[in-house]
């Protein structure tokens, strides 16, 4: 079965799509604007049952968010603790209006906080004041939010898909290791160590600090708090499975429980001057610590240096969490709308001095497990965090810094990739495993920023190589009727006899990738190699004295004899299986035309080219292969001779480039296009049947081209050498 209808051109398709867009624009605009505020859709259906679930989840997450916000701001972002709380409550209040995920909890996160801390330290001088650091981080949040919002509004969130999951796992695992190492000095009360250095340097400094002396009480508080948190985490998790399921909810509150206990101990011994340890210190009451960002373009120059990595981490973390919990709980998020949500959140929160926020792995997991029903739970958590700023800041003064480090170390477990997953990654795809290792190693020996750049560059390189060097296959027919590459493993062939090659003189050729400019040359070279290996050269001969200096045909023929390839069939037709090709660009079209002329030079006669499973979207493009008079007729390079050639060799090329017999004065382009459709098929079997019948009849005619052999000792022309 062949194609019967001439397809639309791309211009016709664009015109039709434009007309449809103009007709539907009012309705589409309304849908777009309503889609920016998902709360309009679900809020009218809100009910008491939903409120109960949201209230429980909101309270639970609050008891986790407050200690993490204080810890991440003071220990990772290296900013005053109150700005971690500002970042959390604004993010939670605003996100509820725009969210398409009920489970994501936005606010401070370990990786992003660490990145902000490193960025601020790298960009600003060591003498920068606290206010200058806050202004810079708030400005970073503002511009990050601007870009996130624009990406979401213009629906180009697809850019984050260019960073594969293994790379994300690599730099988050590396960041987790860096965070743990960076908290060891505070856990043991060792001062004077720059935790913004590479992890291996911090580890070395920490080891030397152990021998130089530690703060006894910081160490006692930090180590015991870490052990207590881990006992609550794993002990209550085990007990919930063996005793009562409700015990797991106490486990979720382990950070709050430990923080309350150790803050109480710190308060109780506050007057004992012999017991010295580091505490958080003063946290301003309410919102009195608000600082505005500097949004001027002159100041933005310094901010933009740090923007790419912060933006990438923010987008990747948030969308990874949203997609994961959407999949686990049976709903789908809108990635572009989620980008709008965190973008607007960061823009608004920057005006209270907040630093960049994104979705949190740990708090989202707790929120999901707590029975959250809608995004309104985020609003409840935000209100409770605000209340804490007006009621609990006095007691927060006595929180030990070593306990905050213990909370951070215990919370980092979810960032570290499971060893079993890493092993599976190695077994499934080695290149992805290499990407994981690059991200992990660069993070350990440098920093997160360099790890992101290195791993993203590697991912793009792998993607380009896969497009530029796709799998090329010569197909044979399997017993079940499928056309497969018999050299591939996994088909279960016991012997070569189980597969049937195409009829003599016909080649079935397939490329497992779109035919575009990165792989066009590779396609042509691979096709030439396949033809040369399987068929006898029958093109025109050239005397030795007339050969070009780069004509190495003699050595090629000797190599063929060495491989035992003297007796080979003559090439009659090539069937191209386009089932894996989703796009053909201009360079791809030029390559097909070049291939047509190369095949005809090789065969010394017209060679039929049949196409199978061409996408209707690109049928009009590929249809030009039989219609163009020659490859030179569409060559757009500046030096191309703009002539419609008559082909090469000792034979004539007709109106269809030797594929169709010349038609006398049809003068009807539409008829020619319909005639050319007979070379486009929906199955390889159909193409083989037609190609076999047509080429046999062509060779039987009296006016066929006489084959010129190379049996007289002379060799082929340099044109053959250049193309093959």
């Amino acid at each position: 079965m062949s194609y019967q209808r001439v397809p639309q051109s791309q211009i016709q398709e664009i015109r039709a799509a434009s007309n449809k867009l103009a007709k539907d624009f009012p309705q589409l605009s309304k849908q777009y604007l309503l889609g920016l505020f998902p709360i309009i859709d679900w809020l009218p259906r809100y009910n008491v049952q939903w409120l109960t679930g949201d209230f429980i989840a909101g309270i639970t997450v609050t008891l986790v968010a407050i200690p993490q916000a204080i810890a991440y701001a003071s220990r990772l972002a290296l900013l005053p603790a109150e700005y971690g709380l500002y970042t959390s409550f604004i993010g939670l209040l605003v996100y509820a209006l725009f969210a398409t995920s009920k489970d994501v909890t936005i606010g401070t996160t370990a990786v992003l906080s660490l990145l902000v801390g490193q960025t601020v330290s790298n960009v600003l001088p060591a003498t920068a004041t606290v206010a200058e650091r806050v202004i810079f981080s708030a400005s970073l949040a503002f511009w990050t939010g601007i870009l996130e919002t624009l990406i979401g509004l213009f629906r180009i969130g697809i850019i984050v898909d260019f960073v594969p999951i293994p790379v994300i796992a690599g730099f988050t695992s590396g960041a987790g290791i860096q965070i743990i190492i960076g908290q060891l000095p505070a856990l043991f009360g060792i001062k004077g160590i720059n935790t913004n250095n590479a992890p291996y340097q911090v580890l070395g400094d920490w080891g030397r600090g152990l021998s130089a002396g530690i703060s006894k009480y910081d160490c006692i508080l930090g180590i015991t708090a870490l052990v207590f948190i881990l006992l609550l985490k794993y002990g209550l998790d085990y007990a919930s499975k063996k005793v009562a399921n409700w015990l797991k909810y106490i486990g979720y509150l382990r950070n709050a429980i430990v923080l309350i206990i150790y803050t109480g101990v710190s308060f109780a011994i506050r007057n004992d001057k012999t017991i010295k340890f580091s505490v958080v210190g003063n946290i301003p009451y309410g919102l009195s610590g608000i600082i505005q960002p500097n949004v001027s373009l002159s100041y933005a120059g310094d901010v933009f240096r740090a923007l790419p990595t912060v933006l990438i981490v923010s987008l990747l973390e948030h969308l990874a969490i949203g997609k994961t919990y959407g999949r686990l709980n049976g709903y789908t998020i809108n990635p572009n709308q989620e980008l709008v949500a965190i973008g607007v959140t960061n823009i608004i929160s920057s005006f209270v001095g907040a630093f960049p926020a994104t979705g949190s792995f740990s708090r989202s997991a707790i929120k999901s497990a707590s029975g959250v029903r809608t995004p309104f739970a985020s609003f409840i958590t935000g209100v409770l965090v605000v209340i804490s700023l007006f009621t609990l800041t006095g007691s927060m003064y006595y929180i030990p810094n070593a306990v905050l480090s213990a909370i951070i170390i215990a919370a980092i477990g979810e960032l570290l990739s499971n060893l079993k997953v890493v092993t599976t990654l190695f077994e499934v795809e080695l290149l992805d495993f290499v990407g994981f290792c690059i991200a992990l190693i660069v993070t350990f020996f440098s920093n997160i920023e360099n790890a992101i750049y290195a791993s993203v560059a590697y991912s793009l390189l792998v993607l380009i190589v896969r497009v530029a060097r796709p799998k090329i296959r010569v197909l044979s027919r399997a017993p079940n009727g499928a056309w497969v590459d018999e050299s591939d493993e996994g088909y279960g062939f016991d012997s070569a006899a189980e597969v049937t090659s195409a009829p003599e003189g016909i080649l079935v050729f397939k490329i497992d990738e779109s035919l575009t400019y990165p792989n066009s040359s590779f396609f042509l070279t691979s096709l030439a190699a396949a033809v040369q290996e399987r068929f006898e050269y029958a093109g025109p001969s050239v005397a030795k004295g007339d050969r070009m200096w780069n004509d190495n045909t003699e050595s090629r023929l000797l190599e063929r004899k060495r491989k035992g390839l003297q007796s080979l069939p003559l090439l009659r037709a090539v069937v191209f299986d386009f089932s894996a090709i989703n796009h053909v660009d201009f360079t791809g079209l030029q390559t097909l035309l070049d291939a047509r002329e190369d095949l005809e030079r090789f065969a010394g006669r017209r060679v039929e080219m049949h196409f199978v499973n061409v996408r209707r979207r690109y049928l009009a493009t590929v249809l030009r292969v039989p219609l163009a008079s020659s490859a030179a007729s569409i060559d757009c390079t500046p030096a191309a001779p703009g002539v419609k050639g008559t082909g090469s060799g000792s034979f004539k090329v007709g109106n269809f480039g030797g594929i169709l017999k010349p038609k006398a004065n049809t003068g009807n382009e539409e008829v020619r296009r319909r005639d050319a459709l007979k070379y486009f098929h929906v199955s390889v079997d159909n193409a083989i049947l037609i190609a076999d019948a047509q080429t046999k009849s062509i060779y039987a005619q009296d006016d066929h081209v006489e084959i010129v052999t190379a049996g007289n000792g002379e060799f082929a022309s340099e044109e053959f050498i250049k193309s093959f």
Side-chain angles (χ1 to χ4, degrees), residues 272-572:
D272 190 338
K273 303 302 180 183
T274 62
I275 302 176
K276 297 181 179 180
F277 54 89
S278 175
V279 296
V280 169
N282 182 57
I283 295 180
Y285 172 82
L287 303 176
S288 58
I290 288 178
I291 294 179
Q292 302 293 314
N294 187 337
V295 298
S296 66
L297 293 179
S298 59
Y299 187 81
D302 290 333
V303 176
F304 288 168
R305 291 165 51 190
L307 200 54
T309 51
V310 172
L311 179 66
I312 291 172
V313 170
S314 177
L315 297 183
L316 292 179
E317 277 197 286
H318 189 89
L319 293 183
I321 296 168
K323 290 178 180 179
T324 297
Y325 286 102
R327 184 171 61 251
L328 292 176
N329 294 309
Y331 65 90
T332 303
I333 68 167
N334 182 335
N336 288 305
Q337 177 58 27
E338 285 297 310
L339 298 186
V340 173
I342 60 172
V344 174
T345 294
N346 279 318
I347 292 172
I348 296 176
S349 63
S350 69
F351 287 95
V352 298
F355 54 89
T358 190
S360 165
F361 283 101
S362 58
R363 297 193 296 277
S364 297
I366 292 171
K367 188 178 181 183
S368 178
S370 299
V372 63
R373 303 300 298 274
T374 73
F376 186 68
S378 293
F379 189 85
I380 295 173
T381 300
V383 171
L384 293 175
V385 173
V386 173
I387 293 174
S388 72
L389 281 166
F390 287 91
T391 58
L392 300 176
T393 51
S395 58
M396 290 177 185
Y397 177 96
Y398 297 100
I399 297 175
N401 281 321
V403 174
L404 293 180
S405 292
I407 290 174
I408 292 172
I409 292 173
I412 295 306
E414 75 257 8
L415 293 182
L416 303 179
S417 295
N418 187 291
L419 182 60
K420 183 178 180 181
V421 174
V422 177
T423 303
T424 303
L425 184 62
F426 177 79
E427 295 171 349
V428 171
E429 177 54 68
L430 188 58
L431 289 177
D432 286 344
F433 176 76
V434 172
F436 173 88
C437 292
I438 289 174
L440 182 65
I441 292 171
V442 175
T443 301
F444 184 79
F445 287 100
S446 182
N447 54 44
I448 297 177
E449 182 177 5
N450 291 335
I452 292 172
Y453 287 141
S455 56
V456 170
Y458 171 80
S459 301
L460 294 177
L461 177 62
V462 170
L463 180 64
I464 291 171
V465 170
R466 284 174 173 165
V467 172
R469 293 296 180 266
K471 179 71 174 178
I472 301 291
R473 306 173 189 271
V474 174
L475 305 184
S476 300
R477 198 176 193 276
N480 62 1
W483 286 84
V484 299
D485 182 355
E486 60 183 285
S487 65
D488 278 354
E489 298 179 2
Y491 289 112
F493 302 133
D494 294 329
S495 66
E498 292 192 23
V499 296
T500 306
S501 299
E504 186 176 277
I506 298 178
L507 178 73
V508 182
F509 196 75
K510 181 179 181 181
I511 175 175
D512 286 345
E513 184 55 70
S514 294
L515 185 57
T516 54
Y517 64 92
N519 58 37
S520 293
S521 178
F522 181 70
F523 170 85
L524 197 60
T525 302
S526 300
L527 175 63
V531 169
Q532 187 180 20
E533 181 180 345
R534 291 166 174 80
F535 301 99
E536 185 67 37
Y537 173 72
S541 299
V542 177
K544 291 182 179 181
D546 295 331
R547 292 183 219 156
M548 297 289 288
W549 83 99
N550 59 349
D551 188 337
N552 62 347
T553 311
E554 186 171 359
S555 60
R556 287 176 176 269
L557 292 179
L558 292 175
E559 179 65 18
R560 286 166 60 88
K561 290 181 180 180
R562 188 184 65 80
K563 293 181 178 180
L565 301 177
Q566 296 110 311
S567 179
L568 294 172
L570 298 174
L571 178 64
R572 294 190 285 151

Side-chain angles (χ1 to χ4, degrees), residues 639-654:
V643 296
K644 297 183 178 181
T646 58
S648 302
S650 58
F651 56 94
K652 294 183 179 180
V653 179

Side-chain angles (χ1 to χ4, degrees), residues 75-76 101 103 149 157 218 274 399 411-412 451 484 578 604 641 687:
R75 305 305 311 162
L76 297 179
S101 170
D103 298 292
T149 303
D218 278 308
T274 62
I399 297 175
I412 295 306
V484 299
F578 271 36

Side-chain angles (χ1 to χ4, degrees), residues 253-274:
L253 306 179
R254 58 188 177 272
N255 291 339
I257 293 171
V258 170
L259 193 68
I260 292 171
I261 291 174
Y262 279 82
T263 302
V265 171
S266 174
F267 179 79
I269 61 177
R270 68 188 184 282
N271 294 323
D272 190 338
K273 303 302 180 183
T274 62

Side-chain angles (χ1 to χ4, degrees), residues 457-721:
Y458 171 80
S459 301
L460 294 177
L461 177 62
V462 170
L463 180 64
I464 291 171
V465 170
R466 284 174 173 165
V467 172
R469 293 296 180 266
K471 179 71 174 178
I472 301 291
R473 306 173 189 271
V474 174
L475 305 184
S476 300
R477 198 176 193 276
N480 62 1
W483 286 84
V484 299
D485 182 355
E486 60 183 285
S487 65
D488 278 354
E489 298 179 2
Y491 289 112
F493 302 133
D494 294 329
S495 66
E498 292 192 23
V499 296
T500 306
S501 299
E504 186 176 277
I506 298 178
L507 178 73
V508 182
F509 196 75
K510 181 179 181 181
I511 175 175
D512 286 345
E513 184 55 70
S514 294
L515 185 57
T516 54
Y517 64 92
N519 58 37
S520 293
S521 178
F522 181 70
F523 170 85
L524 197 60
T525 302
S526 300
L527 175 63
V531 169
Q532 187 180 20
E533 181 180 345
R534 291 166 174 80
F535 301 99
E536 185 67 37
Y537 173 72
S541 299
V542 177
K544 291 182 179 181
D546 295 331
R547 292 183 219 156
M548 297 289 288
W549 83 99
N550 59 349
D551 188 337
N552 62 347
T553 311
E554 186 171 359
S555 60
R556 287 176 176 269
L557 292 179
L558 292 175
E559 179 65 18
R560 286 166 60 88
K561 290 181 180 180
R562 188 184 65 80
K563 293 181 178 180
L565 301 177
Q566 296 110 311
S567 179
L568 294 172
L570 298 174
L571 178 64
R572 294 190 285 151
V574 178
V575 175
F576 293 99
D577 184 352
F578 271 36
S579 58
I581 294 181
N582 294 310
H583 184 77
V584 180
D585 64 4
F586 186 88
T587 307
L589 172 61
Q590 181 73 57
T591 298
L592 290 173
L593 290 170
D594 289 339
R596 185 188 75 184
E597 296 189 355
D598 289 347
L599 292 172
E600 290 170 345
R601 281 196 295 268
F602 180 87
R605 62 172 66 189
R606 295 188 293 268
V607 175
E608 287 197 359
M609 294 171 65
H610 292 256
F611 301 90
V612 178
N613 293 321
V614 177
R615 301 286 191 274
R616 180 160 291 278
R617 173 73 173 77
Y618 295 103
L619 181 55
T621 299
V622 183
L623 196 63
R624 293 175 180 270
V625 176
L627 290 173
S629 60
S630 70
S633 66
I634 69 163
D635 196 329
C636 66
T637 54
V643 296
K644 297 183 178 181
T646 58
S648 302
S650 58
F651 56 94
K652 294 183 179 180
V653 179
N655 291 342
F656 294 97
I659 297 180
L660 298 175
K661 288 196 68 175
K663 291 187 174 291
N665 301 321
T666 60
N668 191 329
E669 182 67 17
E670 195 66 23
V671 172
R672 296 176 67 237
R673 286 163 62 86
R674 281 198 297 268
D675 285 344
L677 284 175
K678 68 179 67 175
Y679 294 92
F680 293 80
H681 314 275
V682 295
S683 72
V684 176
D685 286 333
N686 179 246
I688 291 288
L689 184 65
I690 294 177
D692 189 33
Q694 288 186 350
T695 51
K696 282 183 178 179
S697 64
I698 288 176
Y699 295 161
Q701 294 174 1
D702 294 334
D703 61 348
H704 74 277
V705 179
E706 183 178 357
I707 300 173
V708 182
T709 65
N712 57 1
E714 301 298 332
F715 301 100
S717 69
E718 73 279 5
E719 293 176 332
F720 162 67
I721 298 305

